[in-house]
Amino acid sequence: MTLPWREPLGAHPRADGATLFRAWAPRARSLALASGGDELELEHAGLGVFELVADVGAQADYEFVLTSAASGERLVLPDPCSRHQPLGLRGPSRVLDPAGFEWGDQAFRMPQRSELVLYELHVGTFTPEGSFAAAAAQLPALAALGITAVELMPVADFPGMRGWGYDGVYLSAAHRCYGGPHALAAFVDAAHRAGVAVVLDVVYNHVGASGVAALEAFGPYLTDKYTTFWGKAVNYDDAGCDAVREWVLQSAVGWVRDFHIDGLRLDAIHAIYDASPTHIVAEIAERVHAENPAALVIAESGLNDPRVIRPRGQGGWAADAQWADDFHHALRALLSGERDGYYADFGTVGDLAKAFRRPFVYDGRYSSFRQRCFGAPADDRPAEQFVVFDQNHDQVGNRALGDRLPRRLQPLAALCTLLSPFVPLLFMGEEYGEQAPFQFFADHIDADIAAATREGRRREFATFASFAEEVPDPQDRATFERSRLTRSEDPSLASLYRELLRVRRTLSGEAEVSFDEERRWLRVRRSGGEILCNFSGERLELPVEEGRRILLSTDPENHQRTDAAAVVLEPCSGALVS
Amino acid sequence: MTLPWREPLGAHPRADGATLFRAWAPRARSLALASGGDELELEHAGLGVFELVADVGAQADYEFVLTSAASGERLVLPDPCSRHQPLGLRGPSRVLDPAGFEWGDQAFRMPQRSELVLYELHVGTFTPEGSFAAAAAQLPALAALGITAVELMPVADFPGMRGWGYDGVYLSAAHRCYGGPHALAAFVDAAHRAGVAVVLDVVYNHVGASGVAALEAFGPYLTDKYTTFWGKAVNYDDAGCDAVREWVLQSAVGWVRDFHIDGLRLDAIHAIYDASPTHIVAEIAERVHAENPAALVIAESGLNDPRVIRPRGQGGWAADAQWADDFHHALRALLSGERDGYYADFGTVGDLAKAFRRPFVYDGRYSSFRQRCFGAPADDRPAEQFVVFDQNHDQVGNRALGDRLPRRLQPLAALCTLLSPFVPLLFMGEEYGEQAPFQFFADHIDADIAAATREGRRREFATFASFAEEVPDPQDRATFERSRLTRSEDPSLASLYRELLRVRRTLSGEAEVSFDEERRWLRVRRSGGEILCNFSGERLELPVEEGRRILLSTDPENHQRTDAAAVVLEPCSGALVS
């Protein structure tokens, strides 16, 4: 049996100038294309897929006119596979011809996994203009700093003109507020010409509430079988799931093939439920790697489960890498003394020491916060399959006030993160000590969703009584503006980051760790150097082998004893000796 | 950190005559033991586990007096780990000392997987008495027939005095209506002395609605994260799950260790949701095999996913075998022409031919019934890891009227099933042509659940208008009585089964299959013989190699042509040639 959704869905310009439209709409009695004042019926090609070849002209705007099989209602809707929404979620789709992109990136070479340094950025707040074009101008400076890949927070069409992007609806349509698809392609081209790879954050665990009805009119994109924190789960294993899987898979491959995207960061895969023999994450990895073997699939996983990155033959999903929140939590709880929420599970030097070996601190251990044994050992996976950070959009932005890691903790945090054996990720601005917060902002176009988001945010932080009144209103434009980078630089911190990224390249191999819980020091030996950390409030002397010298220090007061037998570390500081 | 639920939960007689009581009750402010008129406080040993050593005497009745942490309410409840409920679900638990079982089964040798012939029986309707003791008397006859393992439908304490057993609550308590735990041990002993293994059907995907409140008073046994067809899912991966997993794991191991059970048939594992790194099915297999490497873990899986039976190193769950419904559906739809419900997906000779190779007919293929691609190829797993049948309690009992496979279809069905390379399972009575139906019966003790069950059953078959009025009332005792075996024997069918089970032992190896869809014949070559099947309404001649002779035939009219070059098969019949 031919499965018609296996062929490309969406709008595809042909060599002869006409466009092939293909849509999966099992809930439609009939489906028509509305474009340029005309309305043309699509033909049913079986199993809910409708097709039409039409001469609508290049970059034509179009909508689908869907007559509901259930109610007979006539609905005018965007294409679920839209690659451009020039007027937003509720406007028409626009035919995109990727053959029109101009590429000058032939010389670009994808960095090795061991060379990866990720830099997470939100296009809207990264520059005053908030556009792909303005962001592109910053790329040479990032490359010079030692960043090898930028990771764009989601760009798939989401409600309104500002937002983090995690409530996107049209997976394949780069948002007009950043400049739309052509501007994204130009950004990737510029990145490649600067020698920087581009990873794109994609959300396949739910769709923004504003778009649920428009998608569900076509077919069962969502399922009642499971629920996520953000609403109904995407239908990966229930009736109708094959075309929904294709909707996701073709979108993933499309970014890589047509936009030269070098990697996908799959948002919150712990909220992707799929009991199929091949988990959708495994299938995404398979299809993306088939398109480009060098492209990366990086999972944001809150599962602490090495199966995500194991090879298929071992029952794994074969993602290239996964985020490891435990490294962050262990580091932050130790540095800051915070014990709220999930930080309750962390706070010892031993936790961070364990995280340096493999960043699943919870590898089967009982978690009081989760009230269950959590995770599994990942010793069989190489260190470079884990992405670690001391800040990211969530760990900053999902604090009540969106405040970044305090300045005094940053040097030691950066030392640990950037000299770890894992792939480090920086959050835009941390590399020079940005002081602007990164707050939670949105621009919902539905009043009820806007109100629920605002209320939800207040409720989330209600337990912190002192914050409850101050939680910024996500819908307020000022919240977005406050989150824009000021680019006011702290020169000593900027210099430290430059140094750390430079010396990082001289280190290699696994971490050998020793520590003293009582005195709160940690030593991490890697090939090429030894990292010494003082997490205490006291000055500490740590003996070093003969001939070792301080290569880099987070505190100018740190020094080697005159007999060179020990390094003296100020409180909350560290050094690299070699 | 010591995890107190890892130690045995429940009531455990000690060598000194006292009994150790251990209960997980994180929702209790305090917990007391009520026994013999006394009430003794248990001590909190951490993480919600309470303990007490008390001298209550042998086989004492006891209850837990739980003071709810949330409401302060005082509840008198059975032990969730109860091993005996002498007065039913709402009565006291009774201390069981497995050291009191007398065993004479030292000579029993577990059959090899290739020798397995399973026989599914419902203790309550298998004999006029409906007891373990009466069932035991039938074991030598089953052994003589060639049955190597009986599979008991669930015996864990369920509501009332009759039922299929799938709404059990106390996992470890063999039902009093069958004679209770001592009678079960005696049954297993008798089976072993007759050379027959005992597989027990256990339900770990939900608990009977009648027991939900009593379990949930102790802790989060169930979760809202997922739902099953039968209600809330068992909590295998949410807060508090570790002790719930132990509740299941210790029960599974207890049957094997203390009752000498040779295998567990895990009911409907497709309704077990577990996103943990180690799926509970894998953990059950691990723990059961650690207790007894020869014990079998057989999954009833509606997933068509070979991961269930793959080794752990390949990401599998390492169950020994799994049920394969597709073999049944392919066979039944072909034989009977039925196309209702899931039979819509089957009906060709090609489907059955495929099922003879590996019984996942849906191995990734698109299923119209499920409206999705379903299953995955299982060629890497040996044939003897699949359990097949042409009847079972579900395929008979979950028909509106509980009618068995029609008599005229039985011979060819049995030929296919019993001579297949898979592990065959017979449903009690089919081996001699039992004509009593096996209907859906229950004895709910809660009026609302009884009404909902009755109504649900009617609704389920409402689409078959002609049946709607006739659907038997599950609560009516007559429905149960009608389902009891009459043991009225059809001698020719009984003789065919005896012959089939005898010649089965002379066949070995994989099936090589050829077929003709139009003429509706199928040939299955195995080492030791060739099975010829005529699924048409016409007499057929099938050529055979020189020297081959009919060894067994399902129809006395089948014969070899005088020149011996072909076998003549009557409509709906088959033969084995060798």
Side-chain angles (χ1 to χ4, degrees):
Chain A
M1 175 183 276
T2 321
L3 300 175
W5 47 75
R6 292 274 170 89
E7 297 296 310
L9 298 167
H12 300 275
R14 305 196 314 177
D16 65 3
T19 301
L20 169 63
F21 293 90
R22 298 185 80 251
W24 175 68
R27 288 181 177 158
R29 178 189 302 163
S30 64
L31 197 70
L33 179 81
S35 185
D38 289 335
E39 205 169 294
L40 299 161
E41 202 71 15
L42 283 81
E43 204 175 316
H44 188 222
L47 293 175
V49 171
F50 293 81
E51 295 180 338
L52 174 72
V53 175
D55 223 332
V56 292
Q59 301 192 42
D61 285 351
Y62 69 101
E63 288 167 300
F64 284 129
V65 183
L66 184 153
T67 306
S68 161
S71 67
E73 205 185 348
R74 198 182 122 98
L75 298 160
V76 182
L77 296 167
D79 180 356
C81 299
S82 170
R83 304 190 88 177
H84 192 16
Q85 290 296 113
L87 302 177
L89 279 190
R90 304 271 158 84
S93 304
R94 182 170 290 171
V95 176
L96 179 78
D97 189 357
F101 295 157
E102 286 177 20
W103 295 106
D105 65 347
Q106 292 74 10
F108 174 68
R109 183 190 69 83
M110 182 68 187
Q112 297 295 306
R113 229 162 26 179
S114 60
E115 298 167 333
L116 275 179
V117 177
L118 294 163
Y119 183 91
E120 185 182 39
L121 73 84
H122 175 262
V123 177
T125 51
F126 185 56
T127 61
E129 300 83 355
S131 65
F132 290 126
Q138 300 294 329
L139 290 164
L142 293 179
L145 179 65
I147 301 299
T148 58
V150 293
E151 179 171 310
L152 303 182
M153 284 174 65
V155 305
D157 205 62
F158 53 81
M161 290 299 276
R162 49 185 192 274
W164 283 17
Y166 295 94
D167 42 12
V169 175
Y170 295 107
L171 301 185
S172 301
H175 204 294
R176 63 190 165 131
C177 70
Y178 302 146
H182 288 84
L184 172 60
F187 174 86
V188 177
D189 191 54
H192 287 177
R193 281 184 286 110
V196 175
V198 181
V199 173
L200 182 63
D201 194 343
V202 288
V203 182
Y204 297 149
N205 50 58
H206 77 293
V207 296
S210 305
V212 167
L215 290 173
E216 288 275 272
F218 284 86
Y221 279 85
L222 305 171
T223 175
D224 287 322
K225 209 170 149 185
Y226 315 107
T227 52
T228 78
F229 183 74
W230 310 282
K232 279 184 175 190
V234 176
N235 172 18
Y236 289 115
D237 66 5
D238 214 347
C241 67
D242 300 282
V244 179
R245 296 172 75 98
E246 281 296 326
W247 175 63
V248 163
L249 290 163
Q250 293 181 15
S251 179
V253 169
W255 292 124
V256 172
R257 182 189 58 224
D258 298 332
F259 288 83
H260 294 202
I261 291 287
D262 304 292
L264 300 175
R265 179 259 193 197
L266 310 184
D267 181 61
I269 64 156
H270 44 276
I272 292 180
Y273 294 100
D274 183 3
S276 309
T278 303
H279 193 279
I280 188 70
V281 169
E283 201 166 354
I284 291 167
E286 187 176 305
R287 293 272 284 264
V288 164
H289 292 147
E291 179 59 38
N292 176 2
L296 300 172
V297 173
I298 303 172
E300 185 209 8
S301 166
L303 298 170
N304 279 19
D305 188 345
R307 112 178 80 178
V308 174
I309 49 174
R310 284 206 180 111
R312 292 288 291 277
Q314 293 173 27
W317 300 347
D320 297 283
Q322 71 177 294
W323 282 33
D325 279 12
D326 281 9
F327 185 90
H328 168 268
H329 300 345
L331 182 58
R332 172 126 200 178
L334 180 61
L335 281 168
S336 71
E338 285 163 290
R339 294 294 181 274
D340 294 326
Y342 45 69
Y343 294 136
D345 273 347
F346 299 88
T348 67
V349 184
D351 287 339
L352 184 62
K354 185 173 179 181
F356 262 102
R357 281 286 309 149
R358 281 298 173 275
F360 293 169
V361 175
Y362 284 80
D363 59 356
R365 184 166 119 176
Y366 185 79
S367 153
S368 305
F369 174 69
R370 297 179 190 264
Q371 294 180 51
R372 54 161 305 196
C373 292
F374 190 70
D379 303 286
D380 60 318
R381 307 314 312 155
E384 63 197 30
Q385 280 197 297
F386 301 90
V387 175
V388 301
F389 35 80
D390 54 63
Q391 303 187 55
N392 68 31
H393 76 274
D394 264 329
Q395 302 304 340
V396 172
N398 277 327
R399 299 173 67 84
L401 306 180
D403 48 316
R404 290 161 176 266
L405 189 65
R407 171 65 180 83
R408 67 181 181 85
L409 307 179
Q410 255 203 286
L412 184 50
L415 178 89
C416 290
T417 306
L418 294 179
L419 304 189
S420 77
F422 312 113
V423 173
L425 174 136
L426 278 64
F427 180 58
M428 61 174 191
E430 74 160 283
E431 75 280 14
Y432 60 78
E434 175 62 55
Q435 288 303 300
F438 187 72
Q439 299 184 329
F440 184 77
F441 47 83
D443 183 25
H444 282 293
I445 54 179
D446 298 295
D448 53 337
I449 298 171
T453 304
R454 185 183 286 127
E455 198 32 54
R457 199 72 189 172
R458 281 217 185 106
R459 220 174 23 244
E460 191 177 341
F461 298 104
T463 44
F464 307 101
S466 56
F467 289 150
E469 289 307 296
E470 297 175 55
V471 173
D473 175 1
Q475 288 284 114
D476 185 353
R477 192 183 171 90
T479 305
F480 168 73
E481 294 295 349
R482 260 194 309 273
S483 302
R484 221 188 265 286
L485 296 190
T486 63
R487 299 202 176 265
S488 160
E489 182 173 305
D490 176 328
S492 74
L493 201 62
S495 154
L496 176 66
Y497 270 81
R498 268 192 301 276
E499 277 303 287
L500 285 169
L501 286 166
R502 189 185 58 75
V503 299
R504 171 177 175 80
R505 292 193 288 271
T506 68
L507 302 179
S508 61
E510 296 278 343
E512 268 180 62
V513 190
S514 56
F515 66 97
D516 184 321
E517 198 66 68
E518 205 179 329
R519 297 181 62 212
R520 294 169 67 87
W521 59 254
L522 173 72
R523 268 173 202 273
V524 181
R525 282 187 199 81
R526 296 186 63 199
S527 175
E530 183 173 349
I531 305 149
L532 308 177
C533 303
N534 175 7
F535 292 102
S536 78
E538 315 285 321
R539 175 181 294 170
L540 275 185
E541 279 193 19
L542 294 183
V544 289
E545 283 169 43
E546 205 180 333
R548 297 243 170 182
R549 290 288 173 275
I550 293 180
L551 213 69
L552 175 155
S553 178
T554 66
D555 189 314
E557 303 295 311
N558 289 347
H559 61 276
Q560 201 145 4
R561 234 167 44 191
T562 45
D563 64 359
V567 167
V568 180
L569 293 174
E570 297 299 311
C572 193
S573 80
L576 176 71
V577 299
S578 182
Chain B
M1 177 184 277
T2 321
L3 300 175
W5 47 74
R6 292 274 170 89
E7 297 295 310
L9 298 167
H12 300 275
R14 305 197 313 178
D16 65 2
T19 301
L20 169 63
F21 294 89
R22 299 184 80 248
W24 175 67
R27 289 182 177 157
R29 179 189 302 163
S30 64
L31 198 70
L33 179 82
S35 184
D38 289 336
E39 207 169 290
L40 298 162
E41 203 70 16
L42 282 83
E43 204 174 316
H44 187 223
L47 293 175
V49 172
F50 293 81
E51 295 180 337
L52 174 71
V53 176
D55 223 331
V56 292
Q59 301 194 42
D61 286 351
Y62 68 102
E63 288 166 301
F64 284 129
V65 183
L66 185 153
T67 306
S68 161
S71 67
E73 204 185 347
R74 198 182 123 99
L75 299 160
V76 182
L77 297 167
D79 181 356
C81 300
S82 170
R83 304 190 87 178
H84 191 15
Q85 290 295 112
L87 302 176
L89 280 191
R90 304 272 158 83
S93 305
R94 182 171 290 173
V95 175
L96 179 78
D97 189 356
F101 295 158
E102 285 177 23
W103 295 104
D105 66 348
Q106 293 75 11
F108 174 68
R109 185 189 69 84
M110 183 67 188
Q112 298 295 306
R113 230 163 24 179
S114 59
E115 298 167 333
L116 275 179
V117 177
L118 293 163
Y119 183 91
E120 185 183 37
L121 73 84
H122 176 261
V123 177
T125 51
F126 186 55
T127 61
E129 300 83 356
S131 65
F132 290 126
Q138 300 292 330
L139 290 163
L142 293 178
L145 179 65
I147 300 299
T148 58
V150 293
E151 179 171 311
L152 303 182
M153 283 174 65
V155 305
D157 206 61
F158 54 79
M161 290 298 276
R162 49 185 193 271
W164 283 17
Y166 296 93
D167 42 11
V169 175
Y170 296 107
L171 302 184
S172 303
H175 205 295
R176 63 189 165 131
C177 71
Y178 302 146
H182 288 84
L184 172 60
F187 175 85
V188 177
D189 191 54
H192 287 176
R193 283 185 284 109
V196 175
V198 181
V199 173
L200 183 63
D201 194 344
V202 287
V203 182
Y204 296 150
N205 50 58
H206 77 293
V207 296
S210 306
V212 167
L215 290 174
E216 289 275 272
F218 284 85
Y221 280 84
L222 305 171
T223 175
D224 287 322
K225 208 169 150 185
Y226 316 107
T227 52
T228 78
F229 183 73
W230 311 281
K232 280 185 174 188
V234 176
N235 172 19
Y236 289 116
D237 66 6
D238 213 347
C241 67
D242 300 282
V244 179
R245 294 172 77 98
E246 281 296 325
W247 175 63
V248 163
L249 291 163
Q250 293 181 14
S251 180
V253 169
W255 291 125
V256 172
R257 183 189 59 223
D258 299 332
F259 287 84
H260 294 201
I261 290 288
D262 304 292
L264 300 175
R265 180 260 192 197
L266 310 184
D267 181 61
I269 64 156
H270 44 276
I272 291 180
Y273 295 100
D274 183 5
S276 309
T278 305
H279 193 280
I280 188 69
V281 170
E283 201 166 353
I284 291 168
E286 187 175 306
R287 293 271 282 265
V288 163
H289 292 148
E291 179 60 37
N292 176 2
L296 300 172
V297 173
I298 304 171
E300 185 210 8
S301 168
L303 299 170
N304 279 18
D305 188 344
R307 113 178 79 176
V308 174
I309 49 174
R310 284 205 180 110
R312 291 290 291 276
Q314 292 173 29
W317 300 348
D320 297 282
Q322 70 178 293
W323 281 32
D325 278 13
D326 280 10
F327 184 91
H328 168 269
H329 300 344
L331 182 57
R332 172 127 199 176
L334 180 60
L335 280 168
S336 71
E338 286 163 289
R339 293 294 182 273
D340 295 326
Y342 44 69
Y343 294 134
D345 272 349
F346 299 88
T348 68
V349 184
D351 288 338
L352 184 61
K354 184 172 180 181
F356 262 102
R357 280 287 310 148
R358 282 297 174 275
F360 292 169
V361 176
Y362 284 80
D363 58 357
R365 185 165 117 174
Y366 185 77
S367 153
S368 306
F369 175 70
R370 298 180 187 264
Q371 295 180 50
R372 53 160 306 193
C373 293
F374 190 69
D379 303 285
D380 60 318
R381 308 312 314 155
E384 62 197 30
Q385 281 197 295
F386 300 90
V387 176
V388 302
F389 36 80
D390 55 61
Q391 303 188 55
N392 68 32
H393 76 274
D394 265 329
Q395 302 304 340
V396 172
N398 277 326
R399 297 172 69 83
L401 306 181
D403 49 317
R404 290 162 176 264
L405 189 65
R407 171 65 180 83
R408 67 181 181 86
L409 307 178
Q410 255 204 285
L412 183 50
L415 178 90
C416 290
T417 306
L418 294 179
L419 303 190
S420 78
F422 312 114
V423 173
L425 174 136
L426 278 65
F427 181 56
M428 60 174 192
E430 75 160 283
E431 76 279 14
Y432 60 79
E434 175 63 53
Q435 289 302 302
F438 186 71
Q439 299 185 328
F440 184 76
F441 48 83
D443 182 24
H444 282 294
I445 54 179
D446 298 296
D448 53 337
I449 298 171
T453 304
R454 185 183 288 127
E455 198 32 56
R457 199 72 189 171
R458 282 217 186 105
R459 222 178 17 247
E460 190 176 343
F461 298 104
T463 45
F464 307 100
S466 56
F467 290 150
E469 288 306 297
E470 296 174 57
V471 172
D473 175 2
Q475 288 284 117
D476 185 353
R477 190 181 174 92
T479 305
F480 167 74
E481 293 296 348
R482 259 194 309 274
S483 302
R484 219 187 266 286
L485 296 190
T486 64
R487 300 204 177 263
S488 161
E489 182 172 305
D490 176 328
S492 74
L493 201 61
S495 153
L496 176 66
Y497 269 82
R498 267 193 302 276
E499 277 303 288
L500 285 170
L501 285 166
R502 189 185 58 75
V503 299
R504 171 177 175 79
R505 292 193 288 270
T506 67
L507 302 178
S508 62
E510 296 278 342
E512 269 181 62
V513 189
S514 56
F515 66 95
D516 185 321
E517 197 67 67
E518 206 179 328
R519 298 182 61 214
R520 293 170 68 85
W521 58 255
L522 173 71
R523 269 174 203 274
V524 180
R525 282 186 199 81
R526 296 186 63 200
S527 175
E530 183 174 349
I531 306 150
L532 307 176
C533 304
N534 175 6
F535 292 102
S536 78
E538 316 285 322
R539 176 181 292 170
L540 276 185
E541 279 193 19
L542 294 183
V544 289
E545 283 168 43
E546 203 181 335
R548 296 242 171 182
R549 289 290 173 272
I550 294 179
L551 214 68
L552 176 153
S553 178
T554 66
D555 190 314
E557 303 294 312
N558 288 347
H559 62 277
Q560 201 145 5
R561 233 169 43 193
T562 46
D563 65 358
V567 167
V568 180
L569 292 174
E570 298 299 313
C572 192
S573 80
L576 175 72
V577 299
S578 183

